[in-house]
Amino acid sequence: MGRIRILSDEVANKIAAGEVVERPASVVKELLENSLDAGATRVAIDVAGGGRRLIRVSDDGCGMLRDDAMLAFERHATSKLSSAKDLLNISTLGFRGEALPSIGSVSRLLLETRPPDQLTGTIVEIAGAKMIRCEEAALAPGTQITVRDLFYNVPARKKFLRSDETKLAHIARLATHYSLANPDKRFLLTSEGKDLLEVTPVGSVRDRVYQVFGSETFEGLIDLGVRERAMPAGDGEEPKLFRLRGFVSRPQIQKLNRNSIYLFVNRRLIRDRLLLHALSAAYHNLIPPACFPFALLFLECNATEVDVNVHPAKTEVRFRSATFVHDFLRDSVREALIATKPVSAIPLPARAQPAAQLPYSEFTQKLEDSAWQAPVNEFVPVIRNEAARLDLAEEEPQPRLPVPETHGAFPPELVPELSESLTALADLRPLGQIHDSFIVAAGRDGLWIIDQHVAHERILFEKILKQRAAGRVQMQALLMPLIVQLTPAQQVDYDRIAGELAAVGFDAEPFGHRTIAVKAAPAGVGAGDIERLVFEILEIADRELRKLSMDDVRRSIAASIACRAAIKVNMPLDQGKMEWLLKTLAETECPMSCPHGRPIALRYSLRDILRGFHRI
Ligand SMILES: Nc1ncnc2c1ncn2[C@@H]1O[C@H](COP(=O)(O)OP(=O)(O)OP(=O)(O)O)[C@@H](O)[C@H]1O
Ligand SMILES: [Mg+2]
């Protein structure tokens, strides 16, 4: 008995309608999803001409009987859904019965399929939606679908296709995504005889990430482990458990676009504004606002909690409890970031690498760079402190002295466990300052350089937020009230946030037409800076109240005050002050970056030092 049925009009009409096949990558996506739904453990993809000339996807899944193989090309023919009720509880990647007929209508398609328990298989040939051939054949078990000349009968669409390289990059990204979500399966992607991705089954996502991106990328990531949160149940309902796993990048890794964010909901790759927002919120005040992290996140929940039937390409979802999911993701990622307290490493001069085959990540990097001019897979920490870099780089290279025999060998077992974390800050011994701006300190695990301004900024930022929450901020009374003249727009913004200004330590009151008198300001801010600070805060309110929550505005205001009140660069500090700064920084929640996202400390690890002196 066949398994595929045609959906009734009632069900078919409830399915998000629209374009299924927009470009070659959409074909690959649909075929890959079908293979995964068919229980395949091995999926091979072969393409030519960026997928326009050829896309072939072969799997070792359950295959199709002859009747099903023919029925599969009818619209709304699916084995995965039968009633409208099933739409509320979808656990397969496909459910509409739209993909194969859509692909078959814009290409020349060959389906070869055989269920493993059948002796023979079936070949179906389709061209421009018409069935040309259907016959029995001796085939290997599983399914192979070959799509040639995509859009050959849709000249308008063909014109809009991008270069072969861009199309191939999209396909490569897609195969990568699915391989990440299915570490227990084997994936192979080849283009015109070249292997682009080949991954064998592994035991965990962690191993798969390592396989796909390589060790360097892997080291820049934080493993979230398994995080769970139960949604309180309604009357008579079971509590709903949400689970999040995956990896996020350390704050030093900053991307210029969202291309390195991979989100999966119940193993389905999606683009979701809610989850993207939650991720940005987790990195708020840790990386600059225009930057994005790398993230590979798998959210799992009961299928009834998420509606996948909202977009024709099945790339968007809608959560029943959007706020709950948003906060769960934000808190989980933030907790992991805070717990790790990671630090920026000082970049070492590149070392000669033994010639090797271009790793997959570099290959896609090349493809995507040329396609979009935007880096995708590189993990170079952004060191924004140019001065710190210059000081190190401009040093004249020293002639290398012969190493005395006795010091020559440094048995590797003597190399102490290297701490990657800023928790080591508390043990640092300040040695002095460079340019009266950067503290140089010796630690158990290497040499550290700390930007004194941003370090103090982080300390004050957290202090202000804590005091603000407890309702007792530190203020300074001004000898003379400061009269500040506002523009009409600033007056509007001021009225909106007057309460917030009072809460962070301003004592201000109206003083005639569009003028305020400031009688007290947050402690630590220099008298000359107060007016500028007020304007800066009004600007934040103007810019951010439109898109951010009040909580975010509060954090931004605290960041501004902290910046104004913090020790400046070019300021000599005595030993006691430096010790106090490092000790207090170690006690903060996020000693790794300032509230604007810049790194606070750079570390030249002991391992790097040993390497630099050729001792390991
Ligand atoms: N690789 C495959 N192995 C086994 N059966 C398959 C395979 N590809 C497709 N099928 C069968 O053909 C049917 C139609 O596939 P199609 O992709 O058109 O629809 P769908 O997967 O059910 O829904 P959607 O349109 O959302 O992808 C599937 O329901 C499945 O039964
Ligand atoms: Mg499908």
Side-chain angles (χ1 to χ4, degrees):
M1 244 280 277
R3 300 194 291 177
I4 301 184
R5 278 173 302 247
I6 307 256
L7 296 175
S8 67
D9 286 351
E10 183 222 344
V11 183
N13 293 338
K14 289 201 165 71
I15 285 174
E19 204 85 60
V20 173
V21 187
E22 282 179 330
R23 53 188 186 182
S26 352
V27 173
V28 176
K29 172 177 184 287
E30 294 296 342
L31 298 182
L32 253 177
E33 290 189 348
N34 280 348
S35 295
L36 294 170
D37 281 347
T41 60
R42 181 187 60 78
V43 190
I45 310 157
D46 189 24
V47 297
R52 214 181 53 76
R53 258 190 295 129
L54 170 86
I55 295 172
R56 176 179 289 137
V57 175
S58 326
D59 67 50
D60 62 350
C62 66
M64 283 178 261
L65 293 169
R66 181 190 170 93
D67 286 354
D68 280 349
M70 293 196 314
L71 208 51
F73 292 93
E74 297 288 331
R75 283 204 67 206
H76 302 308
T78 178
S79 57
K80 304 171 190 175
L81 194 78
S82 54
S83 70
K85 213 173 94 229
D86 293 346
L87 272 176
L88 303 175
N89 193 355
I90 295 169
S91 56
T92 46
L93 296 167
F95 54 87
R96 312 154 306 178
E98 293 250 27
L100 289 184
S102 305
I103 299 167
S105 66
V106 292
S107 67
R108 301 182 217 275
L109 186 151
L110 186 73
L111 162 70
E112 297 163 274
T113 185
R114 189 194 120 197
D117 60 351
Q118 301 289 308
L119 291 175
T120 56
T122 309
I123 293 185
V124 176
E125 198 179 335
I126 308 269
K130 289 201 189 61
M131 192 172 299
I132 294 177
R133 177 159 75 110
C134 173
E135 59 196 37
E136 202 173 313
L139 298 170
T143 301
Q144 171 164 298
I145 295 184
T146 309
V147 177
R148 290 183 197 276
D149 303 330
L150 188 62
F151 302 130
Y152 79 101
N153 53 353
V154 198
R157 172 62 54 83
K158 228 161 64 182
K159 260 203 331 230
F160 286 104
L161 286 180
R162 308 239 220 135
S163 72
D164 280 4
E165 282 208 326
T166 310
K167 289 182 301 215
L168 187 56
H170 284 143
I171 293 172
R173 278 167 62 80
L174 206 101
T176 311
H177 297 161
Y178 278 93
S179 76
L180 289 166
N182 297 275
D184 55 338
K185 301 188 195 310
R186 187 189 152 130
F187 287 82
L188 180 67
L189 169 65
T190 53
S191 166
E192 299 174 30
K194 250 190 289 146
D195 279 4
L196 301 187
L197 170 71
E198 183 174 9
V199 282
T200 48
V202 282
S204 66
V205 174
R206 195 183 171 81
D207 294 342
R208 182 54 56 90
V209 169
Y210 194 86
Q211 272 181 331
V212 172
F213 295 110
S215 61
E216 206 173 305
T217 298
F218 192 75
E219 279 161 20
L221 300 181
I222 298 167
D223 190 344
L224 294 184
V226 181
R227 307 209 165 227
E228 291 182 332
R229 190 178 281 185
M231 193 170 59
D235 279 349
E237 277 185 18
E238 289 270 298
K240 302 276 166 38
L241 195 65
F242 286 77
R243 183 172 294 138
L244 185 73
R245 285 173 307 142
F247 297 84
V248 292
S249 51
R250 297 169 191 275
Q252 306 84 263
I253 290 162
Q254 295 162 8
K255 303 285 180 178
L256 298 176
N257 56 39
R258 296 191 175 86
N259 284 349
S260 303
I261 299 175
Y262 309 99
L263 303 174
F264 295 83
V265 173
N266 291 343
R267 295 202 163 195
R268 179 192 304 281
L269 175 69
I270 55 143
R271 293 262 115 198
D272 184 75
R273 291 176 59 151
L274 176 88
L275 299 187
L276 284 174
H277 184 273
L279 184 64
S280 300
Y283 279 87
H284 195 64
N285 297 122
L286 291 180
I287 63 175
C291 288
F292 302 92
F294 167 99
L296 173 63
L297 297 174
F298 298 95
L299 181 71
E300 275 152 41
C301 61
N302 198 304
T304 54
E305 289 304 304
V306 50
D307 185 0
V308 295
N309 181 27
V310 291
H311 186 267
K314 299 178 287 188
T315 50
E316 288 171 17
V317 293
R318 195 172 296 136
F319 291 99
R320 231 170 80 170
S321 317
T323 315
F324 178 87
V325 173
H326 175 277
D327 294 355
F328 171 47
L329 190 142
R330 181 198 58 200
D331 298 348
S332 304
V333 173
R334 198 161 180 98
E335 277 161 22
L337 285 170
I338 288 174
T340 338
K341 303 195 168 161
V343 61
S344 296
I346 292 177
L348 284 178
R351 285 184 131 206
Q353 293 289 332
Q357 206 196 340
L358 202 59
Y360 173 70
S361 55
E362 277 178 37
F363 173 79
T364 44
Q365 162 81 63
K366 277 206 165 150
L367 276 178
E368 309 233 1
D369 274 358
S370 61
W372 295 309
Q373 307 297 316
V376 175
N377 282 330
E378 100 295 14
F379 278 80
V380 185
V382 177
I383 308 295
R384 290 175 175 269
N385 210 323
E386 289 301 323
R389 177 187 282 186
L390 282 180
D391 268 358
L392 289 169
E394 278 175 1
E395 208 75 68
E396 280 283 298
Q398 296 293 316
R400 212 180 324 134
L401 297 172
V403 180
E405 255 316 284
T406 42
H407 296 180
F410 206 129
E413 59 270 26
L414 277 188
V415 178
E417 185 55 33
L418 300 179
S419 151
E420 285 293 334
S421 143
L422 278 167
T423 44
L425 267 178
D427 301 331
L428 293 186
R429 190 162 42 86
L431 304 174
Q433 281 172 292
I434 304 175
H435 273 315
D436 290 340
S437 304
F438 307 104
I439 299 171
V440 180
R444 266 179 302 138
D445 59 350
L447 175 79
W448 292 63
I449 302 179
I450 293 105
D451 181 325
Q452 64 193 40
H453 171 67
V454 292
H456 196 209
E457 217 180 336
R458 165 56 69 183
I459 294 169
L460 291 176
F461 173 69
E462 293 191 10
K463 185 170 141 195
I464 293 166
L465 283 180
K466 272 202 198 106
Q467 292 181 343
R468 159 82 184 73
R472 41 177 181 80
V473 290
Q474 283 174 5
M475 300 165 73
Q476 51 177 335
L478 306 184
L479 287 176
M480 295 261 294
L482 177 75
I483 309 300
V484 181
Q485 180 93 41
L486 305 175
T487 65
Q490 283 171 335
Q491 178 72 58
V492 175
D493 290 330
Y494 174 78
D495 292 340
R496 286 168 82 189
I497 60 155
E500 188 52 38
L501 280 171
V504 292
F506 283 97
D507 178 8
E509 56 187 35
F511 189 74
H513 184 55
R514 279 203 269 112
T515 306
I516 52 170
V518 181
K519 295 197 280 186
V525 180
D529 274 342
I530 293 173
E531 184 169 359
R532 236 177 306 152
L533 179 61
V534 171
F535 287 139
E536 202 172 286
I537 291 175
L538 292 176
E539 207 177 293
I540 292 170
D542 183 52
R543 195 177 59 232
E544 307 208 333
L545 270 179
R546 271 180 262 143
K547 50 184 197 322
L548 294 175
S549 68
M550 196 55 208
D551 192 46
D552 288 336
V553 172
R554 199 163 289 150
R555 296 173 76 85
S556 297
I557 292 176
S560 269
I561 298 172
C563 180
R564 294 277 165 210
I567 306 169
K568 303 283 180 286
V569 289
N570 294 318
M571 184 184 279
L573 300 178
D574 61 27
Q575 187 72 12
K577 282 217 179 72
M578 291 193 282
E579 276 167 14
W580 173 85
L581 195 73
L582 299 187
K583 192 178 122 292
T584 320
L585 178 65
E587 286 161 7
T588 61
E589 261 194 349
C590 299
M592 57 277 201
S593 44
C594 86
H596 301 103
R598 294 188 311 200
I600 290 176
L602 302 175
R603 189 187 55 146
Y604 197 39
S605 74
L606 185 54
R607 192 189 296 276
D608 292 337
I609 294 172
L610 292 173
R611 251 195 232 140
F613 285 116
H614 296 216
R615 286 178 181 274
I616 54 171

